[in-house]
Amino acid sequence: MSKTNSRRNFFKSTGVLGAGLLVPSLGLAQHSQPTIDGGIHEFGKRTGYTKEVSILVSMMDWMRDTILRDVQNISQKELDFLLDDHSNTIGAMLMHLAGTERYYQIDTFKGISKKELGFGVSDEMWDAAGNLGNKGRATFKGMSPSFYLDKLAEVREYSLNELKNRDDAWLYESTKFFGNQPTNNYCKWFHVVEHESNHNGQIRFLKSRVV
């Protein structure tokens, strides 16, 4: 019996299925193998990082690898597909992920200016990446997959290098942020991971609707 079927039978036997609860598709095992070699599914110590920062980096690596697997060999048609006049393309969402991470770099890595974090992209383009909507639809079309993947890689490389210079105490430094509530750096950077998870679901949905 497959692991997926075993899990589903467990849910049935415990009455979870049929109780009005939505059980997510357990399809991770059917995806292609991880693009990062070795240890991607084992969260823990990472070379060059403190103990807690290593856990954060583990989560960042795992979620980014999921994103990259879902856009491997993506076509230009899929990248620029627009479901309707109010939606975003996959390309725009990939750039949005890079822009969101850049925002948290600026917010949490003290003394970093926007100019220093341009990554070869104009402020107008970063603004479009952050806000999407009409600006995103007008800006992000006709660009190759490598454009978006290179920006994601450049932004992530900067984050990983900076995190090597931060310790566990830094993760727990807090400022007023989400809803003007005390928010530590750990929460902010976990949000970067959660944000990628959210948009990964949208990316998968859009790929399934391309005609």
Side-chain angles (χ1 to χ4, degrees), residues 10 26 45 72 95 182 207:
F10 168 77
L26 301 173
K45 189 70 175 73
Q72 267 186 336
M95 195 64 182
K207 285 179 67 178

Side-chain angles (χ1 to χ4, degrees), residues 12 25 31 48 73 82 107 114 139-140 196:
K12 288 179 180 178
S25 173
H31 289 185
N73 304 315
L82 199 61
D107 180 78
K114 289 187 177 182
T139 303
F140 302 112
E196 292 198 357

Side-chain angles (χ1 to χ4, degrees), residues 99-115:
T100 299
E101 183 165 345
R102 174 180 175 269
Y103 171 83
Y104 283 97
Q105 291 172 345
I106 294 168
D107 180 78
T108 63
F109 300 149
K110 306 302 182 183
I112 306 299
S113 70
K114 289 187 177 182
K115 183 176 181 181

Side-chain angles (χ1 to χ4, degrees), residues 100-170:
T100 299
E101 183 165 345
R102 174 180 175 269
Y103 171 83
Y104 283 97
Q105 291 172 345
I106 294 168
D107 180 78
T108 63
F109 300 149
K110 306 302 182 183
I112 306 299
S113 70
K114 289 187 177 182
K115 183 176 181 181
E116 291 173 63
L117 294 179
F119 300 109
V121 174
S122 68
D123 286 344
E124 290 77 14
M125 186 173 285
W126 281 125
D127 183 61
N131 294 308
L132 294 179
N134 289 331
K135 285 186 177 180
R137 284 185 284 274
T139 303
F140 302 112
K141 54 186 178 181
M143 296 173 178
S144 68
S146 63
F147 171 82
Y148 300 108
L149 297 178
D150 287 350
K151 293 309 170 191
L152 282 168
E154 289 171 25
V155 173
R156 178 53 53 91
E157 181 181 14
Y158 190 94
S159 295
L160 295 177
N161 286 335
E162 285 294 315
L163 287 170
K164 287 182 178 179
N165 300 320
R166 305 303 192 275
D167 58 17
D168 293 350
W170 174 84

